[in-house]
Structures are given as structure tokens and as C-alpha cells.
Amino acid sequence: MIQVVREQKGSISVYKLSGNISEDTHFDDVMGPSNPEMEINCKGILRINSMGVKAWIKYFQTCQKSGTKLNFSECSTAIVEQINLISNFTCGGTVESIYLPFSCLSCKTELSGLFKTEDLKKMKMNLPTLKCTKCSGKAEFDDIPEDYLAFLGQ
Amino acid sequence: MSGNKGNESLKKSLILLSERPEDKVFAEQVCKSTGLHLKTTAETEEAVQALSQDAHPVIFVDGSTEKLYTNFEESVGKTLGIFSEKVQPNAIHFLTDDEVSQAPFLAQSQILGNFVTRDPEDSIASGRHYGRIVKAATKGTPFDLSEVFQKDAKTQAIEIESVTHKQKTLEAVKAYLLAANWTPRTANRITSSVDELLMNAFYDAPLAAGLTSDATYPSLNLNEISKRANVTLRLAFDGVYFGVSVTDFYGSLDKGRLMKHIAKEFSKSEYKVKASSFNAGIGLSIVHQTGGSLLFMSQTNVKTEAMLFFKKTDKFKDFKRQFRFVSTQFYF
Ligand SMILES: [Zn+2]
């Protein structure tokens, strides 16, 4: 199931999404009608299945058609994967920031770091390391950069 | 053609048509697991001759380029005929460096049974794992996940009586993986793939069997379908490989359609996901592109068991780069 928390930031309606998106997700019901400027915070989305992808595209395409300015922020790894796998996933919206997956070289803990898309473009695949929150060891980006950041070149 | 002598000739053979040393290492491992007798050749005609003379042979063919594939297909057509009973797609394995989407000549081939993407880093381990698949398939009769793992792992089977139990089942799969020390990201990834297989079994299989239609889909009553649903989920883990399978009892899988879906890349702008139509295409495409191997065991009008295999790795990037295959085993 998906949870949606809505708040207003000036003229922007911010929707914080969390949980799993599937055939049970009815975006019209949980999100309500579109607004002129929408920020979709995707930090809490763990999984999305193919029927969830269809429901997502159906809802955001309608927003796009009504002239909504769409902005996706704090995209979780599950959402970044879909952005890369499905050419029309963002429905004309912008991707403001994404989580990058990291893995600690010492204790193998999975970590994630939030990066702005603009900054990632400047880094040109030279991704920094993080300090492990568990053991203070060095954590490296743990995915294939050309795959995970493919959407930057689109 | 090189091969072992003596009473080995009484054994079923594995014909390897390839010049690549890593394919020989891979095939030798498969022979160790299966007891098949290896015959290696770089000559297409010789391999096809062996195919016509041996009893129920298995053949591994270097399908790295379209030219290599075409040579083989033409020779088979000339010597045996594509529809000859000597040409059994279940026993034909193409070895390549590419993914399914990069080799349309293989994905669309009428004689394709098994598509293997080589693992250049470890032909021994990949051969050992693939040997289990070949062993289960060489029996010549339908098999399930437990027969692939045999004694290596205990298989659990769960009957799912209704689609309404899907979410609970998925959470159980995820909990099983986390308890077995899979990382949260791989656990979520595998759970997503299982979700797609369940979606296929609950929705696409009855659709393909003609029991529901596209037109009824958006208003389709979930309970209507779930009344007919009877899906079995199997899980197995041997410490290195995790296997999971979903069985439906329609047996409605179509190979051509399946391979078309798997080979499609929705990241290319010519393939846009349509919100209106219902198909399992994106599901299977995503399952394949996001890691793991696929095996479809289909007994026409009886059942289809879709199996997934994932290697446990410390790092996610190694999980994504793991040895992979797409195997189809059809029994009519
Ligand atoms: Zn650490």
C-alpha cells in the first residue's frame, strides 16, 4: 500500500509518497486532482510493479496534459530504476534529486546518499565515497554508473 | 570431433559447436553435473551430423554473431529440416556475450530453447550452476524447481488461493531473504520480480488461455479471477543461489510472445508504456533487465512454472552483473 502526505510550499503542492505501488494503488484517490505545480517526493517508495507503473503513468500523464509543472525529488533507488528502464516514466517532469546506493567496503552495510541531479551532471560519473554510518569505513557507490545514471544523458 | 572414448559413447552426448575456450570450460562443467559425454567441434556440418545421429543429444552453439547463428540454422535446415523431431529447441542452447535484447536473431529464432549470456569471469561456477538446469531438462519430462536444486537445498512450496494474498506472500518472500542475509536492496529487487511472476500467473495466464479478455481488463473483477486462481510459489536457497518459482495451471504460455516481451527495452523511446492496455510485457522485460536468470517450464494446457535464479553477492553491482540465462522448456 502507498501512503501520501501532502503539504504546501508556497505555490508548490508537495506530495510525500511512501510504501509500495501496485495494482492496488489508485492515484486519483490518494493524490487528488492535479495542481499547477507539483513536487513528488519519492524517498519512501520501496517497490513499484508493472501495474503500478501503468497507474503512475496514467495519473501523471493526465497531470502533464493539464499543464502541471511536475518535479520528482529524493527519488529512491526503486524509482531511479524505473526512470532508467521506462522512457516515458517521468511524463515530461524534471528529476530534481535522487538517492545513490552505497556499500561499505568494511562492514558491507548498504547506505544511500542524496544528490541533486544538477550536481551529478557536473560530476560526470566521478562519484564521491561516503563515510559508513555504522563503522566509519569507506563506502563506495554500489551500482553500475552507466546504468544508474543513464537518465542524465537522456 | 574430440570426445572421450570407450563406453562413454553409450551415454547421451553434449555437442559443443564453438571455438571459444571458455565455452569448453563451461560445457565440461555441465557434463560433470549431468553425466553427458562432451563432443567438441568448430565445424557446423559436423555438429549437425552429430545432432542427427545421436540419441536425444544436447547441443551448445556459439551464437555470438548473427553469422554464426545463420550458419547453424541453415545447416540444420538443409540436413535435418527445422521441424524435424531431431531438432528439439528444449535441448538447443545458444551461448553469447549479449543480453537477449541485443541479439534479436536469437530471440526470434524458431529453434531457440535456451539463451545463455556467458560469464567471462567464471565459466566454471556458471557451468556448475547451469549444469543443474541441463540435468533437470535432459530427463525429457516436465520438472519443477525442487528438481533443479535436488539435494542442494530444501524447497518450500506455498499454495496461493487468491490474488488478495499476493501482498502478504511478497512480504513473506522479502522476510525470508532478509533472514538469509540478503541485502535490503537485493531483497526488494527479488521481491519485485516475484511480484511480476505472480501478476503473470494471476492475470496474464488466464488472459492468454482465453478465459478473460483485454476488453474486460480495466473493469475486471479481481475476485472473479481469483476464484479460478490456484498458484503455487516455490522457494529454494542453497547458500549461493536463490530459486523462486510461480506455477499457474493454465499452461497457456506462448514462446514467441514471451521472447518478444523479454527482448523489449522500454528504456528506448520507441517503446512507451501505455497506461490503457493490459499486458505483462513490461513486467517480464523489467524482471529480465534487473538481474537474475529465467526458466519457463511449460506443459501445454496443464501448467507453466516460471522460475527465477539469483546469485547472492555482497555488492549490488555484482548482483547485476551475475551469470544469466533465459531458458524455455516446452512439453506438448
Ligand atoms: Zn561500515
mmCIF file of all heavy atoms in Angstrom, chain B residues 114-141:
data_model
loop_
_atom_site.group_PDB
_atom_site.id
_atom_site.type_symbol
_atom_site.label_atom_id
_atom_site.label_comp_id
_atom_site.label_asym_id
_atom_site.label_seq_id
_atom_site.Cartn_x
_atom_site.Cartn_y
_atom_site.Cartn_z
ATOM 1 N N ASN B 114 17.182 -22.104 -25.407
ATOM 2 C CA ASN B 114 17.901 -21.579 -24.248
ATOM 3 C C ASN B 114 18.916 -20.530 -24.689
ATOM 4 O O ASN B 114 19.679 -20.771 -25.612
ATOM 5 C CB ASN B 114 18.631 -22.727 -23.533
ATOM 6 C CG ASN B 114 17.694 -23.884 -23.226
ATOM 7 O OD1 ASN B 114 17.022 -23.893 -22.210
ATOM 8 N ND2 ASN B 114 17.624 -24.859 -24.133
ATOM 9 N N PHE B 115 18.898 -19.404 -23.994
ATOM 10 C CA PHE B 115 19.768 -18.275 -24.323
ATOM 11 C C PHE B 115 20.694 -18.045 -23.130
ATOM 12 O O PHE B 115 20.237 -17.692 -22.043
ATOM 13 C CB PHE B 115 18.880 -17.046 -24.555
ATOM 14 C CG PHE B 115 19.614 -15.834 -25.039
ATOM 15 C CD1 PHE B 115 19.443 -15.396 -26.346
ATOM 16 C CD2 PHE B 115 20.462 -15.122 -24.204
ATOM 17 C CE1 PHE B 115 20.105 -14.255 -26.804
ATOM 18 C CE2 PHE B 115 21.129 -13.996 -24.652
ATOM 19 C CZ PHE B 115 20.950 -13.558 -25.957
ATOM 20 N N VAL B 116 21.983 -18.257 -23.347
ATOM 21 C CA VAL B 116 22.934 -18.150 -22.240
ATOM 22 C C VAL B 116 23.885 -16.982 -22.477
ATOM 23 O O VAL B 116 24.550 -16.934 -23.506
ATOM 24 C CB VAL B 116 23.760 -19.460 -22.093
ATOM 25 C CG1 VAL B 116 24.765 -19.340 -20.952
ATOM 26 C CG2 VAL B 116 22.842 -20.656 -21.892
ATOM 27 N N THR B 117 23.912 -16.039 -21.543
ATOM 28 C CA THR B 117 24.881 -14.947 -21.623
ATOM 29 C C THR B 117 26.111 -15.386 -20.827
ATOM 30 O O THR B 117 26.021 -15.637 -19.632
ATOM 31 C CB THR B 117 24.293 -13.642 -21.042
ATOM 32 O OG1 THR B 117 23.053 -13.369 -21.705
ATOM 33 C CG2 THR B 117 25.233 -12.475 -21.234
ATOM 34 N N ARG B 118 27.229 -15.510 -21.529
ATOM 35 C CA ARG B 118 28.449 -16.018 -20.878
ATOM 36 C C ARG B 118 28.860 -15.158 -19.685
ATOM 37 O O ARG B 118 28.639 -13.951 -19.685
ATOM 38 C CB ARG B 118 29.619 -15.997 -21.864
ATOM 39 C CG ARG B 118 29.487 -16.926 -23.026
ATOM 40 C CD ARG B 118 30.761 -16.852 -23.863
ATOM 41 N NE ARG B 118 30.645 -17.675 -25.052
ATOM 42 C CZ ARG B 118 30.326 -17.212 -26.250
ATOM 43 N NH1 ARG B 118 30.109 -15.928 -26.423
ATOM 44 N NH2 ARG B 118 30.232 -18.032 -27.276
ATOM 45 N N ASP B 119 29.506 -15.794 -18.734
ATOM 46 C CA ASP B 119 30.153 -15.070 -17.644
ATOM 47 C C ASP B 119 31.650 -15.225 -17.864
ATOM 48 O O ASP B 119 32.223 -16.245 -17.501
ATOM 49 C CB ASP B 119 29.739 -15.669 -16.291
ATOM 50 C CG ASP B 119 30.429 -14.967 -15.137
ATOM 51 O OD1 ASP B 119 31.177 -14.010 -15.388
ATOM 52 O OD2 ASP B 119 30.215 -15.379 -13.984
ATOM 53 N N PRO B 120 32.295 -14.217 -18.480
ATOM 54 C CA PRO B 120 33.709 -14.391 -18.820
ATOM 55 C C PRO B 120 34.598 -14.563 -17.592
ATOM 56 O O PRO B 120 35.694 -15.089 -17.678
ATOM 57 C CB PRO B 120 34.046 -13.105 -19.582
ATOM 58 C CG PRO B 120 33.003 -12.120 -19.198
ATOM 59 C CD PRO B 120 31.782 -12.893 -18.831
ATOM 60 N N GLU B 121 34.089 -14.089 -16.443
ATOM 61 C CA GLU B 121 34.933 -14.147 -15.247
ATOM 62 C C GLU B 121 34.921 -15.503 -14.566
ATOM 63 O O GLU B 121 35.838 -15.833 -13.822
ATOM 64 C CB GLU B 121 34.516 -13.053 -14.261
ATOM 65 C CG GLU B 121 35.119 -11.720 -14.655
ATOM 66 C CD GLU B 121 34.465 -10.550 -13.968
ATOM 67 O OE1 GLU B 121 33.973 -10.720 -12.846
ATOM 68 O OE2 GLU B 121 34.438 -9.468 -14.595
ATOM 69 N N ASP B 122 33.875 -16.275 -14.765
ATOM 70 C CA ASP B 122 33.826 -17.557 -14.058
ATOM 71 C C ASP B 122 33.018 -18.616 -14.813
ATOM 72 O O ASP B 122 31.869 -18.902 -14.477
ATOM 73 C CB ASP B 122 33.276 -17.357 -12.638
ATOM 74 C CG ASP B 122 33.710 -18.486 -11.710
ATOM 75 O OD1 ASP B 122 34.131 -19.545 -12.223
ATOM 76 O OD2 ASP B 122 33.627 -18.311 -10.483
ATOM 77 N N SER B 123 33.653 -19.199 -15.823
ATOM 78 C CA SER B 123 32.968 -20.224 -16.617
ATOM 79 C C SER B 123 32.742 -21.499 -15.808
ATOM 80 O O SER B 123 31.823 -22.262 -16.091
ATOM 81 C CB SER B 123 33.795 -20.572 -17.852
ATOM 82 O OG SER B 123 33.980 -19.441 -18.636
ATOM 83 N N ILE B 124 33.598 -21.730 -14.803
ATOM 84 C CA ILE B 124 33.472 -22.956 -14.007
ATOM 85 C C ILE B 124 32.211 -22.883 -13.133
ATOM 86 O O ILE B 124 31.356 -23.761 -13.181
ATOM 87 C CB ILE B 124 34.738 -23.199 -13.151
ATOM 88 C CG1 ILE B 124 35.924 -23.498 -14.092
ATOM 89 C CG2 ILE B 124 34.533 -24.350 -12.168
ATOM 90 C CD1 ILE B 124 37.244 -23.717 -13.401
ATOM 91 N N ALA B 125 32.105 -21.794 -12.352
ATOM 92 C CA ALA B 125 30.948 -21.676 -11.451
ATOM 93 C C ALA B 125 29.644 -21.561 -12.245
ATOM 94 O O ALA B 125 28.627 -22.160 -11.869
ATOM 95 C CB ALA B 125 31.113 -20.470 -10.541
ATOM 96 N N SER B 126 29.680 -20.816 -13.347
ATOM 97 C CA SER B 126 28.446 -20.676 -14.119
ATOM 98 C C SER B 126 28.073 -22.012 -14.763
ATOM 99 O O SER B 126 26.899 -22.364 -14.835
ATOM 100 C CB SER B 126 28.556 -19.553 -15.145
ATOM 101 O OG SER B 126 29.689 -19.713 -15.951
ATOM 102 N N GLY B 127 29.078 -22.770 -15.201
ATOM 103 C CA GLY B 127 28.821 -24.091 -15.785
ATOM 104 C C GLY B 127 28.231 -25.046 -14.773
ATOM 105 O O GLY B 127 27.331 -25.832 -15.082
ATOM 106 N N ARG B 128 28.725 -24.952 -13.558
ATOM 107 C CA ARG B 128 28.219 -25.825 -12.490
ATOM 108 C C ARG B 128 26.734 -25.510 -12.213
ATOM 109 O O ARG B 128 25.917 -26.408 -12.076
ATOM 110 C CB ARG B 128 29.047 -25.590 -11.217
ATOM 111 C CG ARG B 128 29.146 -26.809 -10.324
ATOM 112 C CD ARG B 128 30.015 -26.520 -9.129
ATOM 113 N NE ARG B 128 31.412 -26.339 -9.471
ATOM 114 C CZ ARG B 128 32.217 -25.406 -8.943
ATOM 115 N NH1 ARG B 128 31.762 -24.549 -8.047
ATOM 116 N NH2 ARG B 128 33.469 -25.323 -9.300
ATOM 117 N N HIS B 129 26.430 -24.229 -12.135
ATOM 118 C CA HIS B 129 25.036 -23.821 -11.880
ATOM 119 C C HIS B 129 24.145 -24.214 -13.063
ATOM 120 O O HIS B 129 23.069 -24.786 -12.886
ATOM 121 C CB HIS B 129 24.986 -22.315 -11.640
ATOM 122 C CG HIS B 129 23.599 -21.755 -11.490
ATOM 123 N ND1 HIS B 129 22.663 -22.304 -10.630
ATOM 124 C CD2 HIS B 129 22.983 -20.706 -12.099
ATOM 125 C CE1 HIS B 129 21.540 -21.611 -10.734
ATOM 126 N NE2 HIS B 129 21.701 -20.647 -11.607
ATOM 127 N N TYR B 130 24.622 -23.940 -14.267
ATOM 128 C CA TYR B 130 23.802 -24.232 -15.444
ATOM 129 C C TYR B 130 23.609 -25.744 -15.626
ATOM 130 O O TYR B 130 22.592 -26.187 -16.161
ATOM 131 C CB TYR B 130 24.435 -23.601 -16.692
ATOM 132 C CG TYR B 130 23.468 -23.491 -17.841
ATOM 133 C CD1 TYR B 130 22.340 -22.681 -17.738
ATOM 134 C CD2 TYR B 130 23.661 -24.201 -19.020
ATOM 135 C CE1 TYR B 130 21.433 -22.587 -18.778
ATOM 136 C CE2 TYR B 130 22.756 -24.108 -20.074
ATOM 137 C CZ TYR B 130 21.645 -23.292 -19.937
ATOM 138 O OH TYR B 130 20.741 -23.203 -20.969
ATOM 139 N N GLY B 131 24.595 -26.499 -15.150
ATOM 140 C CA GLY B 131 24.502 -27.958 -15.228
ATOM 141 C C GLY B 131 23.243 -28.497 -14.559
ATOM 142 O O GLY B 131 22.638 -29.470 -15.016
ATOM 143 N N ARG B 132 22.818 -27.833 -13.491
ATOM 144 C CA ARG B 132 21.593 -28.281 -12.801
ATOM 145 C C ARG B 132 20.371 -28.132 -13.694
ATOM 146 O O ARG B 132 19.460 -28.952 -13.680
ATOM 147 C CB ARG B 132 21.362 -27.449 -11.522
ATOM 148 C CG ARG B 132 22.452 -27.590 -10.506
ATOM 149 C CD ARG B 132 22.021 -27.028 -9.183
ATOM 150 N NE ARG B 132 22.085 -25.577 -9.131
ATOM 151 C CZ ARG B 132 22.139 -24.887 -8.011
ATOM 152 N NH1 ARG B 132 22.100 -25.511 -6.854
ATOM 153 N NH2 ARG B 132 22.200 -23.579 -8.025
ATOM 154 N N ILE B 133 20.373 -27.042 -14.458
ATOM 155 C CA ILE B 133 19.248 -26.776 -15.360
ATOM 156 C C ILE B 133 19.228 -27.848 -16.452
ATOM 157 O O ILE B 133 18.186 -28.443 -16.757
ATOM 158 C CB ILE B 133 19.402 -25.373 -16.023
ATOM 159 C CG1 ILE B 133 19.622 -24.273 -14.985
ATOM 160 C CG2 ILE B 133 18.237 -25.073 -16.959
ATOM 161 C CD1 ILE B 133 18.509 -24.043 -14.022
ATOM 162 N N VAL B 134 20.416 -28.066 -17.040
ATOM 163 C CA VAL B 134 20.507 -29.032 -18.143
ATOM 164 C C VAL B 134 20.140 -30.431 -17.632
ATOM 165 O O VAL B 134 19.436 -31.182 -18.301
ATOM 166 C CB VAL B 134 21.928 -29.012 -18.772
ATOM 167 C CG1 VAL B 134 22.050 -30.042 -19.879
ATOM 168 C CG2 VAL B 134 22.240 -27.623 -19.323
ATOM 169 N N LYS B 135 20.577 -30.736 -16.433
ATOM 170 C CA LYS B 135 20.276 -32.053 -15.866
ATOM 171 C C LYS B 135 18.761 -32.256 -15.718
ATOM 172 O O LYS B 135 18.215 -33.295 -16.098
ATOM 173 C CB LYS B 135 20.961 -32.207 -14.507
ATOM 174 C CG LYS B 135 20.897 -33.632 -13.978
ATOM 175 C CD LYS B 135 21.654 -33.788 -12.699
ATOM 176 C CE LYS B 135 21.594 -35.253 -12.262
ATOM 177 N NZ LYS B 135 22.265 -35.446 -10.971
ATOM 178 N N ALA B 136 18.100 -31.241 -15.173
ATOM 179 C CA ALA B 136 16.642 -31.355 -14.990
ATOM 180 C C ALA B 136 15.946 -31.466 -16.356
ATOM 181 O O ALA B 136 14.974 -32.216 -16.511
ATOM 182 C CB ALA B 136 16.121 -30.145 -14.225
ATOM 183 N N ALA B 137 16.487 -30.736 -17.338
ATOM 184 C CA ALA B 137 15.839 -30.706 -18.652
ATOM 185 C C ALA B 137 16.096 -31.980 -19.468
ATOM 186 O O ALA B 137 15.274 -32.347 -20.304
ATOM 187 C CB ALA B 137 16.313 -29.480 -19.438
ATOM 188 N N THR B 138 17.237 -32.642 -19.238
ATOM 189 C CA THR B 138 17.556 -33.821 -20.063
ATOM 190 C C THR B 138 16.693 -35.032 -19.723
ATOM 191 O O THR B 138 16.701 -36.016 -20.457
ATOM 192 C CB THR B 138 19.052 -34.243 -19.973
ATOM 193 O OG1 THR B 138 19.465 -34.134 -18.625
ATOM 194 C CG2 THR B 138 19.924 -33.402 -20.849
ATOM 195 N N LYS B 139 15.961 -34.942 -18.640
ATOM 196 C CA LYS B 139 15.034 -36.044 -18.304
ATOM 197 C C LYS B 139 13.980 -36.208 -19.402
ATOM 198 O O LYS B 139 13.421 -37.273 -19.592
ATOM 199 C CB LYS B 139 14.287 -35.701 -17.001
ATOM 200 C CG LYS B 139 14.983 -36.177 -15.760
ATOM 201 C CD LYS B 139 14.056 -36.124 -14.541
ATOM 202 C CE LYS B 139 12.834 -35.265 -14.755
ATOM 203 N NZ LYS B 139 11.803 -35.276 -13.795
ATOM 204 N N GLY B 140 13.672 -35.081 -20.048
ATOM 205 C CA GLY B 140 12.709 -35.134 -21.150
ATOM 206 C C GLY B 140 11.259 -35.044 -20.718
ATOM 207 O O GLY B 140 10.349 -35.156 -21.536
ATOM 208 N N THR B 141 11.033 -34.835 -19.434
ATOM 209 C CA THR B 141 9.659 -34.683 -18.930
ATOM 210 C C THR B 141 9.578 -33.405 -18.085
ATOM 211 O O THR B 141 10.608 -32.924 -17.608
ATOM 212 C CB THR B 141 9.247 -35.891 -18.053
ATOM 213 O OG1 THR B 141 10.291 -36.132 -17.109
ATOM 214 C CG2 THR B 141 9.004 -37.132 -18.894
#
